[in-house]
Amino acid sequence: MSKVAFVSHGGGPMPVLGDPSHVQLVATVKDLTQLLPKQPSVIVMISAHWETTGFEITAGATPDLIYDYYGFPEASYQLQYPAPGAPQLARDIAAKMEAQGTHIRLNESRGFDHGMFIPLMLMYPDANIPVLQISLASSLNPVQHWEFGERLAKVLPENAVVIGSGFSFHNMRTFFAPKTVQINHDVHVFQKWLDDTVTRSDVSMADAKARWAKWSSVEGGRFCHPREEHLIPLIVCHAVAQKQGQSIPFTALDVEARHFIW
């Protein structure tokens, strides 16, 4: 059985640069590692910052880093996280997913984006654990990604850690706007729905899938996610955990960023 986590990865490289506004996020991300294996066999990362037509998986032996952010201090373009890839495992996962009817293309040249290396610099700073990154399908269809997570759960090796990297709230304009009564209402009502969906023990697998299928029509949903790429990794992780029969013991965070672990 794998351990599964969803983390909010913060603003670009700022969590690892000592930014004061990220102190709570950094602390909670580090705390999550106490509930994860110290030396997993592999980390499988689903980042909000890689979308492809269909699904792809990194298959290079030594992926480079992709500094996919702009306008930050020079130090942020010198960050290093030399985690090895796992080409043979990528091929094995792709073959097993194909057998279930889900095609994953092998990508031998793609590097690791900041949705991967920023949280892992905090969680597994030694960078000595093999990492595979899986893209989002550009459809961003919640049911497609839920079903992908169900199938992925069946093909993971023993002692793997699956990490979704995104945000539970990702309305960039609102991040920097005054927090009005209406904004606070919209954020809180959706976060309550999200918490119920992910953490309530009486939400079955079928219920969860049905709830995610309609997330954008939930009050506050589309306000919190004008575009849902930062939410989709949570859907994949929730499906993986549900398929493996895991319940959620831990939820932490403030109103704009939640972490979950199974």
Side-chain angles (χ1 to χ4, degrees):
M1 185 177 291
S2 304
K3 292 294 288 184
V4 186
F6 173 79
V7 300
S8 294
H9 59 236
M14 300 310 287
V16 301
L17 296 180
D19 176 60
S21 68
H22 284 78
V23 169
Q24 183 186 1
L25 185 146
V26 169
T28 53
V29 168
K30 289 182 176 180
D31 285 347
L32 288 180
T33 59
Q34 298 176 22
L35 301 175
L36 297 173
K38 295 190 185 314
Q39 196 68 32
S41 59
V42 66
I43 297 170
V44 178
M45 174 70 69
I46 300 99
S47 165
H49 290 279
W50 186 22
E51 297 176 37
T52 55
T53 303
F55 295 98
E56 295 188 9
I57 188 169
T58 54
T62 55
D64 295 326
L65 298 191
I66 302 171
Y67 302 106
D68 53 337
Y69 38 67
Y70 308 95
F72 290 96
E74 179 60 29
S76 60
Y77 302 96
Q78 308 303 321
L79 296 172
Q80 297 296 316
Y81 192 78
Q88 185 55 56
L89 179 57
R91 288 190 285 271
D92 291 346
I93 287 175
K96 291 175 181 177
M97 292 292 279
E98 189 77 43
Q100 297 184 77
T102 295
H103 180 64
I104 306 182
R105 290 185 298 276
L106 299 172
N107 191 322
E108 297 180 356
S109 61
R110 215 271 179 179
F112 295 135
D113 60 59
H114 81 275
M116 173 276 198
F117 67 81
I118 294 299
L120 290 192
M121 287 179 73
L122 301 172
M123 300 174 77
Y124 291 98
D126 293 338
N128 60 354
I129 300 162
V131 179
L132 294 174
Q133 188 170 337
I134 297 176
S135 71
L136 305 180
S138 56
S139 67
L140 300 181
N141 181 287
V143 173
Q144 180 186 16
H145 286 84
W146 177 273
E147 293 174 350
F148 180 87
E150 287 187 289
R151 293 171 180 177
L152 180 63
K154 299 177 184 179
V155 305
L156 294 167
E158 284 296 317
N159 201 37
V161 167
V162 180
I163 300 176
S165 174
F167 251 107
S168 65
F169 174 92
H170 199 252
N171 183 324
M172 294 302 293
R173 181 175 296 180
T174 303
F175 269 129
F176 305 104
K179 302 304 186 283
T180 66
V181 172
Q182 186 61 52
I183 285 174
N184 285 334
H185 170 80
D186 290 345
V187 171
H188 280 284
V189 73
F190 180 68
Q191 297 297 327
K192 174 65 166 60
W193 176 90
L194 188 152
D195 287 348
D196 286 347
T197 298
V198 177
T199 66
R200 274 176 41 186
S201 60
D202 61 341
V203 175
S204 69
M205 193 162 188
D207 292 339
K209 181 179 180 180
R211 287 171 72 92
W212 280 121
K214 298 178 179 179
W215 77 267
S216 62
S217 63
V218 173
E219 185 179 6
R222 192 51 81 179
F223 173 77
C224 291
H225 290 277
R227 191 173 187 275
E228 56 266 43
E229 79 284 350
H230 277 71
L231 184 66
I232 296 294
L234 175 55
I235 298 176
V236 177
C237 286
H238 192 197
V240 171
Q242 286 273 54
K243 189 65 178 179
Q244 294 190 344
Q246 299 185 54
S247 60
I248 184 167
F250 182 83
T251 305
L253 255 243
D254 56 39
V255 71
E256 293 176 349
R258 276 162 165 69
H259 306 309
F260 299 103
I261 191 164
W262 295 263

